[in-house]
């Protein structure tokens, strides 16, 4: 399965490159067709010896047809220069849109503030393909966006509330969309537009206002609504009495669906394969120690591990 997925990704890269040089490719194929037509009309024998002479430009033409074939061969051999020029003259925006259109099961990140930047960094560390959508002014104002452009990460510049911009990032084929803009009123609008374009995608939205988060959750436009005020309130209180350690990676809690590859795997097997630690399992209403347990559908796992280990965990699941 992984081999097929890898082959599929390689095929997408090949298609991306062919699309970049599509005009040169059309030109090349047209010359080959013209060569074959002229050779057929003038009855030029395409023996191995003649083909070699044509390719080395050592064929001595005896009529107009052979002269035309020799000229076409010269143009064919010069066509890679046209492809090189075509790629070099494409703007970054054109290349980013073309690459995005040839991506599948990728992640679309909307916004590149503090959260968006950290999300992009984590995705790079995990080796997960993603497309970033930011406003046009971020091209000049956001240094990290320039850094991503230099790393050949596709960045789409535009207003994410516009369907055309979302389509340019190929949200229709995306696995997940992370909306990290610092605007509680725009984020639900974007989530609704994304849901209409891709009903199957996982949509994660950052919201500050709890009331808006509740409305967004009820609307069904997003799958995960992360209210930063609700997430941080306990830490603010605990910080009044205790020394909180924020440098250590946080554990995360996941639900095991019936279709998950984790079902019927032992905790030890998962830990050996991923190097992640499963600390506890919430089964029904009871927390149980994970050691010695077999994972079941609808289990809720309390998992701990850093980004390098999370990469192995995601490979196991997907």
């Amino acid at each position: 399965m992984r081999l097929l997925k890898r082959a599929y990704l390689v095929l997408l890269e090949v298609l991306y490159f062919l699309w970049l040089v599509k005009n040169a490719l059309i030109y090349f194929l047209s010359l080959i067709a013209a060569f074959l037509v002229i050779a057929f009309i003038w009855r030029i024998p395409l023996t191995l010896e003649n083909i070699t002479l044509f390719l080395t430009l050592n064929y001595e033409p005896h009529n107009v047809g052979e002269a035309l074939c020799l000229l076409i061969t010269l143009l064919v051999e010069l066509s890679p220069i046209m492809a090189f020029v075509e790629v070099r003259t494409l703007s970054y925006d054109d290349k980013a849109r073309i690459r995005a259109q040839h991506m599948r099961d990728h992640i679309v990140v909307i916004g590149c503030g503090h959260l968006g930047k950290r999300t992009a960094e984590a995705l790079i560390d995990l080796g997960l393909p993603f497309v970033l959508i930011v406003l046009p002014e971020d091209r000049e104002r956001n240094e990290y966006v320039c850094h991503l452009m230099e790393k050949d990460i596709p960045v789409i510049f535009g207003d994410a509330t516009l369907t055309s911009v979302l389509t340019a990032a190929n949200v229709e084929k995306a696995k997940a969309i992370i909306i990290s803009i610092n605007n509680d009123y725009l984020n639900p609008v974007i989530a609704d537009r994304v849901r209409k374009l891709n009903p199957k995608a996982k949509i994660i939205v950052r919201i500050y206002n709890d009331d808006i988060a509740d409305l967004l959750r009820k609307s069904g436009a997003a799958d995960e609504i992360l209210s930063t005020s609700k997430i941080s309130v306990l830490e603010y209180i605990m910080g009044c009495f205790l020394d909180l350690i924020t440098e250590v990676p946080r554990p995360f809690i996941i639900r095991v669906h019936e279709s998950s590859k984790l079902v019927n795997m032992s905790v030890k097997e998962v830990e050996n394969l991923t190097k992640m630690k499963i600390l506890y399992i919430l089964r029904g209403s009871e927390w149980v120690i994970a050691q010695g347990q077999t994972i079941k559908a609808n289990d809720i796992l309390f998992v701990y591990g850093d980004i390098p280990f999370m990469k192995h965990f995601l490979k196991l699941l997907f």
Side-chain angles (χ1 to χ4, degrees):
M1 189 67 180
R2 290 180 184 175
L3 185 60
L4 288 175
K5 186 175 181 180
R6 178 61 181 169
Y8 178 65
L9 293 175
V10 171
L11 177 61
L12 290 178
E13 285 295 317
V14 172
L15 292 175
Y16 164 69
F17 175 76
L18 292 178
W19 187 262
L20 288 181
V21 297
K22 63 176 182 177
N23 292 330
L25 186 62
I26 293 172
Y27 173 73
F28 174 80
L29 294 176
S30 299
L31 289 174
I32 295 295
F35 179 93
L36 294 174
V37 169
I38 293 173
F40 176 77
I41 293 174
W42 291 86
R43 297 181 180 180
I44 302 172
L46 296 180
T47 62
L48 181 61
E49 181 181 359
N50 281 348
I51 292 174
T52 303
L53 289 173
F54 273 117
L55 291 175
T56 57
L57 303 178
N58 289 321
Y59 191 92
E60 294 184 8
H62 300 92
N63 53 52
V64 175
E66 292 179 346
L68 287 174
C69 283
L70 189 62
L71 177 61
I72 290 173
T73 302
L74 176 61
L75 295 175
V76 167
E77 294 183 352
L78 293 176
S79 59
I81 298 176
M82 179 181 175
F84 175 78
V85 172
E86 186 175 3
V87 172
R88 294 289 294 179
T89 54
L90 276 176
S91 68
Y92 171 83
D93 289 356
D94 290 334
K95 290 181 181 179
R97 289 172 182 268
I98 293 171
R99 177 171 285 280
Q101 292 304 309
H102 286 83
M103 295 173 72
R104 299 292 184 273
D105 293 331
H106 58 294
I107 296 172
V108 177
V109 179
I110 301 176
C112 194
H114 182 65
L115 176 61
K117 175 184 175 181
R118 296 185 69 174
T119 301
E121 288 175 342
L123 291 172
I124 292 172
D125 290 340
L126 289 168
L128 297 175
F130 71 97
V131 177
L132 177 67
I133 298 178
V134 293
L135 292 172
E137 50 263 34
D138 283 325
R139 189 193 298 267
E140 304 296 334
R141 298 180 182 177
N142 194 321
E143 185 177 354
Y144 188 71
V145 170
C146 299
H147 171 69
L148 292 179
M149 293 170 64
E150 292 173 358
K151 291 179 69 69
D152 203 27
I153 301 295
V155 179
I156 305 299
F157 294 95
D159 184 348
T161 62
L162 300 177
T163 300
S164 58
V165 175
L166 297 173
T167 301
N170 202 13
V171 297
E172 299 96 323
K173 304 296 183 182
K175 178 184 288 292
I177 295 88
I178 300 174
I179 305 173
S180 65
I181 295 175
N182 299 328
N183 190 316
D184 279 6
Y185 300 101
L186 282 182
N187 287 349
V189 174
I190 297 171
D192 183 65
R193 299 274 166 84
V194 171
R195 178 62 74 205
K196 291 177 180 177
L197 289 171
N198 189 344
K200 297 181 180 180
K202 184 101 173 180
I203 302 175
I204 300 94
V205 183
R206 189 264 294 277
I207 293 291
Y208 289 103
N209 188 297
D210 288 344
D211 294 332
I212 295 178
D214 291 337
L215 290 173
L216 188 56
R217 187 176 290 106
K218 292 176 182 178
S219 72
D223 299 286
E224 303 287 347
I225 299 96
L226 305 180
S227 172
T228 52
S229 59
K230 185 175 293 185
I231 290 172
S232 59
V233 65
L234 286 179
E235 293 193 0
Y236 279 115
I237 295 173
M238 296 297 288
C240 296
F241 305 97
L242 303 169
D243 293 330
L244 299 182
I245 306 300
T246 58
E247 293 80 8
V248 177
R250 306 290 183 86
F252 57 94
I253 303 172
I254 62 172
R255 183 185 301 277
V256 179
H257 295 286
E258 294 181 358
S259 59
S260 174
K261 295 179 181 178
L262 296 175
V263 175
N264 295 326
M265 291 184 68
S266 69
V267 169
K268 183 177 181 180
E269 183 181 4
V270 174
E271 290 181 341
N272 288 338
L273 289 172
T274 66
K275 309 305 179 185
M276 302 284 283
K277 298 297 294 183
I278 302 176
L279 305 178
Y280 295 95
I281 299 176
L282 178 58
R283 188 166 288 158
S285 59
E286 181 183 1
W287 283 102
V288 296
I289 297 175
Q291 187 175 2
Q293 295 289 330
T294 297
I295 299 172
K296 299 178 181 179
N298 298 316
D299 277 352
I300 296 177
L301 308 182
F302 195 88
V303 185
Y304 176 83
D306 208 344
I307 283 180
F309 302 134
M310 195 180 296
K311 184 183 297 186
H312 299 298
F313 191 71
L314 292 175
K315 283 183 178 180
L316 175 63
L317 294 178
F318 304 106

